[in-house]
Amino acid sequence: MSTQKKKHSLLNNAFFREIFFQVLLVTVILLFFWFIAHNTMANLDKRGIATGFKFMSQASGFGIIQHLVPYDETYSFGWTFVVGLLNTILVSGVGVILATLIGFTVGVARLSSNWLIAKIATTYVEIFRNIPLLLQIFFWYAICRSLPSPRLSWSFEDIIFLNIRGGYVPKPIFEEGFSWVIWAAILAIALTLCIRYWAKKRQDATGQQFLVLPVGIGLIFGLPVLAFLVTGSPLGWDLPTLQGFNFKGGMTIIPEFAALLIALSIYTGAFIAEAVRSGILAVSKGQTEAAASLGLHKSKILRLVTIPQAMRVVIPQLTSQYLNLTKNSSLATAIGYPDLVSVFSGTTLNQTGQAIEIVGMTMLVYLFISLTISFFMNWYNKKMMLVER
């Protein structure tokens, strides 16, 4: 009887039940993953497939049409991982910047008092938001592949060329002494931040404003230009020229990159536009009316009153869209853009057969990139939140 009472008392104890069911859940999860791992290893052993990362040091034996670091067929599979990762970061990073610019512009335009501008912005959002991204990628890729042959390239001042093989633009050649220009740019940014901090403290103390924007623009552009002139213009240009059936020299923008970038930017920009619109509408009308009664111009009301308050609503939605754009970049494999999924989880996997290792590495990379974006955006969101006194 005493044993039975003890059991009942334990089951009636809330703390004991919490610990018991948590331990039980963790045990079930661990057993599940152990079973999956054991079953996988057994099946790999039956088929004679070796596991491990030794393949990373083997020569790849295939080319990649776009690489931001030196690469050829003699480089290892490990280096193809780096090349694919850099290509993914490139298209995602540029895509985030362009999508943000498009989204904010269209989001503000949707609320414009000009009927035509508002309707054009609405039409853009409704069209590109409701067409699947993959179809948009195919559409822009078809347009890029419908350009003329190299001999009939579209030319802009004989320095920029567009054809079926991509865009050819001048490539900068940094000569000795250009490091001073870079250091001047870093110094200008640091000075601008210091002036901004000082101006904020001054305004809080005295109420007087200081025009940080024109001073900052003057520093950021003026100091590097001054350093550039003082050091003897240490910058040259490698211009693309037609030689035979193709262009030599310059920098090539492959059509796969252009199509993917345009599709990602336009598609994500439509969602960001709606986020911006919702953020602006969330700002109390009394705020804008009070600002207008003080004699502020509409542009100043938008920049100083509406947008700062709207950002508190926009940032969480913006985070989701940045994450979506980064993960959607994996659709690049559909048109042959050499991103991480195409190069590493595609070609490398087919040649080595190391599916578990390669897919696992790819998943971890996307997880790390997403968590990094989330961390930065959460920090920015916390910074923009209202501080309660």
Side-chain angles (χ1 to χ4, degrees):
M1 288 288 290
S2 61
T3 310
Q4 220 170 9
K5 282 182 181 179
K6 196 176 279 187
K7 284 182 180 179
H8 280 297
S9 63
L10 282 174
L11 289 173
N12 290 330
N13 188 303
F15 177 75
F16 172 79
R17 286 201 309 271
E18 286 179 8
I19 297 298
F20 174 75
F21 286 113
Q22 287 180 45
V23 170
L24 181 63
L25 178 62
V26 171
T27 304
V28 170
I29 292 172
L30 290 175
L31 285 173
F32 172 76
F33 281 106
W34 175 84
F35 172 76
I36 294 293
H38 177 75
N39 191 51
T40 302
M41 296 302 293
N43 287 330
L44 289 173
D45 189 54
K46 282 181 183 178
R47 289 165 175 76
I49 300 175
T51 57
F53 294 91
K54 290 182 180 179
F55 72 95
M56 296 285 281
S57 60
Q58 298 173 6
S60 62
F62 64 89
I64 300 176
I65 57 176
Q66 175 182 296
H67 45 86
L68 302 179
V69 290
Y71 175 83
D72 59 40
E73 290 81 355
T74 62
Y75 281 70
S76 65
F77 286 119
W79 200 244
T80 65
F81 171 81
V82 175
V83 172
L85 174 60
L86 291 177
N87 286 341
T88 294
I89 292 173
L90 175 66
V91 74
S92 300
V94 179
V96 162
I97 294 170
L98 292 180
T100 303
L101 293 174
I102 293 170
F104 271 82
T105 303
V106 175
V108 172
R110 281 207 66 181
L111 299 173
S112 172
S113 57
N114 186 301
W115 182 87
L116 182 61
I117 291 176
K119 290 303 177 184
I120 290 173
T122 302
T123 303
Y124 161 81
V125 170
E126 294 303 329
I127 289 175
F128 291 104
R129 188 178 59 167
N130 294 302
I131 297 176
L133 176 59
L134 187 60
L135 292 181
Q136 293 190 43
I137 292 173
F138 285 142
F139 172 77
W140 291 110
Y141 186 59
I143 289 179
C144 290
R145 299 300 293 181
S146 64
L147 293 174
S149 64
R151 286 182 174 275
L152 301 174
S153 297
W154 293 346
S155 171
F156 301 91
E157 301 296 332
D158 288 330
I159 57 173
I160 299 175
F161 302 90
L162 285 177
N163 58 58
I164 194 171
R165 294 179 183 173
Y168 297 86
V169 298
K171 180 181 179 181
I173 302 173
F174 304 110
E175 300 171 358
E176 187 179 355
F178 192 80
S179 59
W180 288 103
V181 179
I182 297 173
W183 283 113
I186 295 171
L187 177 62
I189 294 170
L191 287 173
T192 302
L193 293 174
C194 291
I195 291 172
R196 182 176 178 271
Y197 178 79
W198 168 80
K200 188 176 184 302
K201 289 291 184 183
R202 178 173 177 259
Q203 184 176 352
D204 292 341
T206 65
Q208 295 179 343
Q209 288 187 337
F210 182 80
L211 297 176
V212 178
L213 185 62
V215 174
I217 292 173
L219 282 172
I220 291 172
F221 284 96
L223 272 182
V225 169
L226 181 63
F228 180 78
L229 296 174
V230 169
T231 53
S233 306
L235 178 65
W237 295 95
D238 179 18
L239 300 178
T241 55
L242 182 63
Q243 297 179 11
F245 295 98
N246 205 357
F247 282 86
K248 300 292 183 182
M251 196 162 48
T252 306
I253 302 172
I254 60 174
E256 291 80 7
F257 173 79
L260 181 65
L261 180 62
I262 293 170
L264 286 173
S265 302
I266 290 177
Y267 178 77
T268 309
F271 287 92
I272 292 176
E274 285 298 275
V276 171
R277 185 176 72 94
S278 68
I280 292 174
L281 291 176
V283 177
S284 171
K285 196 174 181 182
Q287 298 283 328
T288 54
E289 289 176 348
S293 68
L294 293 173
L296 289 177
H297 191 267
K298 283 185 177 181
S299 60
K300 281 195 172 183
I301 293 174
L302 184 67
R303 182 168 57 87
L304 300 175
V305 178
T306 308
I307 294 296
Q309 295 185 73
M311 287 302 292
R312 300 185 182 105
V313 178
V314 173
I315 291 171
Q317 301 176 67
L318 209 57
T319 304
S320 297
Q321 294 309 319
Y322 288 168
L323 293 172
N324 287 338
L325 187 148
T326 304
K327 290 179 285 188
N328 286 338
S329 68
S330 61
L331 293 173
T333 189
I335 58 172
Y337 175 71
D339 76 323
L340 184 63
V341 173
S342 176
V343 170
F344 198 63
S345 294
T347 311
T348 300
L349 191 154
N350 290 334
Q351 293 202 10
T352 62
Q354 306 293 142
I356 295 175
E357 295 86 345
I358 289 174
V359 174
M361 287 176 66
T362 306
M363 290 171 64
L364 287 174
V365 165
Y366 277 100
L367 176 63
F368 176 78
I369 294 173
S370 297
L371 290 177
T372 303
I373 294 171
S374 297
F375 174 80
F376 173 76
M377 294 301 292
N378 288 336
W379 167 80
Y380 184 55
N381 185 39
K382 190 175 181 181
K383 188 179 177 183
M384 294 296 292
M385 286 174 64
L386 284 172
V387 180
E388 296 183 2
R389 296 181 180 179

